[in-house]
Amino acid sequence: MEDDLHFLRQTIIISSVSRDQGNHPFGALLVDPAGKVTLTSGNSHAVDKGIGHAELNVARSAALRYPPEVLDGCTLYTSVEPCCMCAGGTYWAGIGTVVYGLTEKRLATLTGNNPENLTMDMSCHRVFEAGQRKVQVRGPFAELEREIVAVHEGFW
């Protein structure tokens, strides 16, 4: 759990940088089986619009870079629970574990009906449970909620 908090705090920093660069405040990173951060991404909404989610950016890069047997041992860390699109991308990339800080439901209370982030009421758990391959999920982490929410305040 200590490692989870460490890597999740890195995603919060990435989300803040993403916001500072004119993108939505989300961050994600990939940790390999040895515990090394191999990929990072913020949201890329300014360029990619609705599909420029941090988690999908990492999953796409990971699938191109690593073979399935490596990805199965990797962990995707993300500041906010992956939406159904990002959970699907993570599943199809072959990443074995997802760890998130804040739930999608909590995010919805922050974004409201903002047209740039119309959250779907579908937990990543449901998406992964529908698959044939097991994806381990850890989250949310209540002790990080205030830090994650702070990056979103005043944005939406």
Side-chain angles (χ1 to χ4, degrees):
M1 177 156 131
E2 203 169 301
D3 284 346
D4 287 348
L5 293 174
H6 168 76
F7 291 124
L8 285 170
R9 283 197 169 96
Q10 288 184 38
T11 70
I12 297 167
I13 294 167
I14 295 166
S15 68
S16 181
V17 170
S18 181
R19 179 181 174 158
D20 291 347
Q21 293 174 341
N23 291 296
H24 294 178
F26 300 96
L29 58 84
L30 186 74
V31 174
D32 71 13
K36 179 183 174 205
V37 175
T38 62
L39 294 167
T40 66
S41 182
N43 178 281
S44 55
H45 185 270
V47 175
D48 299 324
K49 301 300 176 201
I51 60 169
H53 294 197
E55 303 89 344
L56 190 57
N57 293 341
V58 168
R60 185 182 306 109
S61 294
L64 294 172
R65 182 180 277 184
Y66 302 109
E69 59 273 9
V70 171
L71 289 172
D72 187 55
C74 288
T75 302
L76 176 80
Y77 285 89
T78 178
S79 55
V80 177
E81 179 179 8
C83 70
C84 57
M85 175 181 70
C86 293
T90 300
Y91 175 84
W92 286 109
I95 297 167
T97 302
V98 171
V99 179
Y100 65 88
L102 191 73
T103 65
E104 178 86 349
K105 279 193 179 296
R106 179 65 172 102
L107 174 67
T109 68
L110 301 173
T111 62
N113 64 352
N114 187 299
E116 290 188 7
N117 198 47
L118 296 171
T119 61
M120 297 179 77
D121 188 13
M122 179 163 307
S123 166
C124 73
H125 296 268
R126 282 183 52 203
V127 175
F128 294 135
E129 288 167 2
Q132 295 181 41
R133 183 178 64 77
K134 174 86 170 128
V135 177
Q136 296 179 32
V137 180
R138 295 191 298 275
F141 286 78
E143 59 268 50
L144 296 178
E145 181 172 345
R146 192 168 53 224
E147 293 172 55
I148 296 167
V149 168
V151 180
H152 288 266
E153 287 177 340
F155 184 85
W156 304 105

